Amino acid sequence: MTKKKRNYYLLYGEEEPTRTLQNGSYIGKVMFLTAVARPRWDNEGNVTFSGKIGIWPFVKEVPAQRRSDNRPRGTLETKSIKVNRQVMRE
């Protein structure tokens, strides 16, 4: 899941990341559940709780059923899942 044209900088000796797409114009969409609250401070003004609780993506990793020119069969792919009440509770 990446943009069509993306610039990035690599350190010396760092490998170029593999960025395979089925279609160059297609950008995958993933939904996230984020929980935040009000931050808490003590009497001296120091933060005791930042308010950040967590972030959870609604995705699953499934093995590829067929091979492709870009990857062999069985490679784990990240797929988005349909979000409903049951999925939210899990």
Side-chain angles (χ1 to χ4, degrees):
M1 293 188 276
T2 180
K3 292 187 177 182
K4 193 170 184 179
K5 292 187 179 187
R6 184 76 179 225
N7 295 330
Y8 51 90
Y9 300 95
L10 301 174
L11 296 173
Y12 179 75
E14 189 176 2
E15 291 185 18
E16 221 174 284
T18 49
R19 297 167 39 183
T20 58
L21 290 173
Q22 192 168 13
N23 184 345
S25 299
Y26 173 76
I27 299 173
K29 295 166 185 64
V30 178
M31 185 181 284
F32 290 88
L33 172 66
T34 305
V36 293
R38 289 178 48 195
R40 308 282 189 244
W41 291 275
D42 60 6
N43 293 336
E44 288 78 36
N46 299 323
V47 177
T48 58
F49 173 63
S50 67
K52 299 173 186 172
I53 297 172
I55 182 166
W56 301 274
F58 290 105
V59 295
K60 61 181 175 182
E61 289 188 340
V62 295
Q65 294 180 352
R66 296 183 186 91
R67 72 165 194 82
S68 166
D69 291 339
N70 298 321
R71 50 147 180 78
R73 182 179 184 206
T75 304
L76 289 179
E77 295 180 315
T78 303
K79 301 274 186 171
S80 58
I81 58 175
K82 186 176 180 180
V83 179
N84 55 24
R85 185 176 290 180
Q86 182 68 24
V87 172
M88 294 277 282
R89 288 184 178 162
E90 289 174 5

